[in-house]
Amino acid sequence: MHKASFPGYEVGVNENKYRKSVGDEHSRPDGVDDTTVEALGELSKALETIHRVRGHLYSAHQLVGGADLTLDRVTKLLREAGHGEMADRVEHELLGRNLLPGRWTFQIMEEFDDGYYAAFQEIERDAREKLAGGRRHIYEAEMKERRRTHGMPGHEATPEE
């Protein structure tokens, strides 16, 4: 018997039981301990958060671009309404303005993708390769195996089961 270290595991479960996985591609390689699996699981979770950040940045990129294009109509309408001075201000101070010094959103996205995002992905992949034979989602696969009800429809280990 071994006292499991993952949240949600019962104290004193059989070591082989909590290390079972839903398939070979997600199984724990021999010699990989609980703390390493947990660390890789947390690193994967952090990377998933960064994927979401990237999506939010792309949303901001599209929203800012759309707002900038809307300013063309704003300036046209202001001019039609006789507010040329305000139309000039919108056109000269807002239309085409950098979001950050020297950068439109596409430049921010390129810097993020080529810098932080690329480094995060590479380090996560390197950690999996060096510490777990490149296997992904070991922590989650073991959790799935532990939490599912064997033999119950909708609780299959894999699509083939």
Side-chain angles (χ1 to χ4, degrees):
M1 299 290 267
H2 175 77
K3 184 177 178 181
S5 62
F6 295 143
Y9 281 108
E10 296 176 23
V11 174
V13 306
N14 181 295
E15 187 168 315
N16 293 330
K17 180 180 178 184
Y18 74 84
R19 287 187 174 183
K20 269 183 86 176
S21 181
V22 295
D24 289 341
E25 74 272 11
H26 296 108
S27 65
R28 178 191 297 229
D30 290 337
V32 177
D33 62 51
D34 294 346
T35 305
T36 300
V37 169
E38 187 173 6
L40 290 172
E42 289 295 310
L43 184 57
S44 175
K45 180 180 173 182
L47 177 59
E48 290 167 5
T49 300
I50 297 305
H51 288 310
R52 292 181 61 208
V53 167
R54 184 173 184 258
H56 290 299
L57 287 172
Y58 270 96
S59 291
H61 163 61
Q62 292 175 346
L63 290 168
V64 169
D68 189 72
L69 292 174
T70 300
L71 295 177
D72 291 327
R73 180 156 169 76
V74 170
T75 58
K76 178 183 178 279
L77 292 170
L78 286 170
R79 288 190 205 298
E80 285 176 10
H83 306 293
E85 190 174 311
M86 185 55 66
D88 287 345
R89 182 160 189 222
V90 169
E91 184 176 24
H92 297 129
E93 293 182 37
L94 284 179
L95 197 132
R97 184 183 182 116
N98 291 325
L99 187 69
L100 294 174
R103 293 175 188 86
W104 271 21
T105 56
F106 78 89
Q107 292 163 305
I108 295 166
M109 293 309 311
E110 288 175 353
E111 286 183 38
F112 178 80
D113 281 349
D114 296 343
Y116 190 81
Y117 186 67
F120 211 119
Q121 289 184 104
E122 192 280 322
I123 290 167
E124 189 272 343
R125 185 199 51 73
D126 187 50
R128 278 189 292 105
E129 291 292 327
K130 289 179 177 168
L131 304 177
R135 295 186 181 162
R136 296 183 292 178
H137 299 109
I138 296 169
Y139 182 87
E140 292 90 338
E142 290 179 3
M143 183 188 317
K144 179 179 181 179
E145 184 62 21
R146 186 180 71 252
R147 294 178 61 86
R148 71 189 190 95
T149 302
H150 293 258
M152 178 68 79
H155 289 255
E156 298 82 8
T158 65
E160 295 79 28
E161 186 179 286

